[in-house]
Amino acid sequence: MDYKGFILHHSRCPSINGKGFDFWVGLGGSVYAAPLLTDPEHIHICFEGNYGEADQVPPLAERQSQLFAAGKLILELADRYHISPLVVEPHSATCPGAFFPWNDLVIYAADGYH
């Protein structure tokens, strides 16, 4: 398939409801894959936690592990499916949430460093 990029969700997104994502990234950095990729244009990645409300944002240590694992996942998938790892978009105006740490999601494919 010719994917255009990645769509990010948080687990409190009402459209998730146990489905609607291709990969789940847990707070500790664990990654779970759905049996099949469901969208012919984008790969959907769901982040455990609620990034829509300031008082619900996961603790820093857990976020760091999660973001590190997500960055590695995005780089691996980008290589596998020949898409740019830099095409990463939010699911909607409210998902993954106003408090999602976009600046901490480091994706640097030039030398494989993350």
Side-chain angles (χ1 to χ4, degrees), residues 3 6 23 29 31-33 37 43 45 67-86 88 106-110 112-114:
Y3 293 104
F6 301 91
F23 295 89
V31 176
Y32 301 95
L37 299 179
I43 296 175
I45 301 173
L67 293 167
F68 182 78
K72 287 175 52 178
L73 174 65
I74 289 169
L75 287 172
E76 180 181 321
L77 292 169
D79 184 54
R80 180 178 297 167
Y81 293 107
H82 309 289
I83 56 179
S84 171
L86 303 178
V88 180
V106 178
I107 303 168
Y108 187 70
Y113 166 78
H114 175 82

Side-chain angles (χ1 to χ4, degrees), residues 5-75:
F6 301 91
I7 302 290
L8 303 188
H9 301 262
H10 66 98
S11 61
R12 296 292 300 209
C13 175
S15 73
I16 295 295
N17 296 327
K19 57 183 180 179
F21 60 87
D22 302 309
F23 295 89
W24 170 277
V25 183
L27 286 172
S30 55
V31 176
Y32 301 95
L36 298 170
L37 299 179
T38 57
D39 182 343
E41 295 186 351
H42 296 91
I43 296 175
H44 293 257
I45 301 173
C46 183
F47 286 75
E48 180 181 5
N50 183 357
Y51 290 97
E53 299 178 34
D55 63 341
Q56 298 293 314
V57 173
L60 178 62
E62 293 176 349
R63 285 194 322 261
Q64 289 174 327
S65 296
Q66 183 181 50
L67 293 167
F68 182 78
K72 287 175 52 178
L73 174 65
I74 289 169
L75 287 172

